[in-house]
Amino acid sequence: QVQLVESGGGLVQPGGSLRLSCAASGSIFSIYDMTWYRQAPGKERELVAKITSGGSTNYADSVKGRFTISRDNAKNTLYLQMNSLKPEDTAVYYCNAKFIWESRGSWGQGTQVTVSS
């Protein structure tokens, strides 16, 4: 199984930027589809951005043009560059690694992002 550790969250003002990282270990990173999810209190967990093992990406409409997902297979690390942050981006952000045949995949512990003045 793969183990995932998110980092890079924190408190930032509206309009600011953060870069989240997800470090993977314990398996072959390059063949996983990797996804960032987020969950705010009282809300369902939602997909933010995804990058496949082949490098294809897709984004939630709410973050298009502001967030960029990328991966560095040599470092076994997934990234989420977040620019022009808004208060509604406040949530716990989770990393997910999944093979195409899996229904759920593996999850990290999450990292808190708070956007506030």
Side-chain angles (χ1 to χ4, degrees):
Q1 66 179 32
V2 62
Q3 295 178 325
L4 305 171
V5 179
E6 299 97 334
S7 62
L11 175 64
V12 64
Q13 293 183 346
S17 297
L18 286 173
R19 188 182 75 164
L20 305 184
S21 298
C22 173
S25 62
S27 192
I28 303 174
F29 177 76
S30 62
I31 66 175
Y32 287 97
D33 290 347
M34 302 295 298
T35 305
W36 287 103
Y37 289 81
R38 68 186 181 188
Q39 187 168 28
K43 300 284 189 176
E44 294 185 354
R45 189 170 298 187
E46 65 173 339
L47 187 149
V48 177
K50 180 178 181 178
I51 183 166
T52 69
S53 61
S56 298
T57 61
N58 66 276
Y59 298 88
D61 288 342
S62 60
V63 307
K64 285 181 180 177
R66 300 188 297 121
F67 291 10
T68 302
I69 189 171
S70 62
R71 64 195 297 165
D72 187 338
N73 290 338
K75 296 182 177 180
N76 288 355
T77 303
L78 175 74
Y79 301 99
L80 185 67
Q81 179 66 48
M82 305 186 294
N83 299 326
S84 302
L85 283 162
K86 304 174 180 180
E88 49 262 48
D89 295 318
T90 296
V92 178
Y93 284 71
Y94 297 91
C95 176
N96 176 269
K98 193 179 77 69
F99 292 123
I100 192 169
W101 60 87
E102 292 182 310
S103 61
R104 287 174 287 183
S106 299
W107 294 90
Q109 83 291 339
T111 185
Q112 176 72 49
V113 172
T114 302
V115 184
S116 176
S117 299

